């Protein structure tokens, strides 16, 4: 789990960070945002709807290997993380 340090609320910056970590352009999202919840959509589109929404989201970028997590916003900027599993040889 890698925390994305503030400022961390720009969906484009998070997109670039995920792509540098090997994300695919399509992803699967679990989110309180009905626009993206339970759907396979382009990563950039999902981030635009999920980042800063104020509720938790998990975006699977590579199943079982790479994801993005944003916690619920209680006050200020919510914690945001890249969840990355090391590749096994």
């Amino acid at each position: 789990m890698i925390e994305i340090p503030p400022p961390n609320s720009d969906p484009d910056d998070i997109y670039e960070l995920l792509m540098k970590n090997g994300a695919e352009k399509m992803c699967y999202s679990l989110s309180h945002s009905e626009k993206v919840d339970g759907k396979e959509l382009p990563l950039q589109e999902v981030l635009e709807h999920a980042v800063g929404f104020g509720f938790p989201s998990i975006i699977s970028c590579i199943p079982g290997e790479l994801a993005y997590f944003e916690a619920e916003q209680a006050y200020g900027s919510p914690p945001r993380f890249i969840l990355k599993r090391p590749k096994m040889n």
Side-chain angles (χ1 to χ4, degrees):
M1 192 158 84
I2 304 162
E3 185 170 5
I4 303 171
N8 60 7
S9 59
D10 184 342
D12 292 332
D13 291 345
I14 294 171
Y15 175 81
E16 290 301 321
L17 184 60
L18 288 166
M19 294 304 287
K20 286 179 185 175
N21 278 278
E24 297 175 358
K25 291 191 178 201
M26 295 296 287
C27 66
Y28 183 81
S29 174
L30 296 172
S31 176
H32 277 274
S33 173
E34 293 178 8
K35 293 178 181 178
V36 298
D37 183 47
K39 298 177 183 172
E40 187 172 342
L41 296 165
L43 176 59
Q44 195 151 21
E45 180 180 338
V46 172
L47 289 169
E48 288 170 7
H49 290 286
V51 174
F53 183 66
F55 293 98
S57 294
I58 297 175
I59 301 168
S60 176
C61 303
I62 301 174
E65 291 182 30
L66 180 68
Y68 167 78
F69 170 71
E70 179 169 323
E72 185 172 348
Q73 183 174 351
Y75 57 91
S77 182
R80 296 178 171 104
F81 299 91
I82 291 178
L83 309 175
K84 188 173 182 180
R85 176 177 286 163
K87 291 189 179 187
M88 305 300 274
N89 292 333

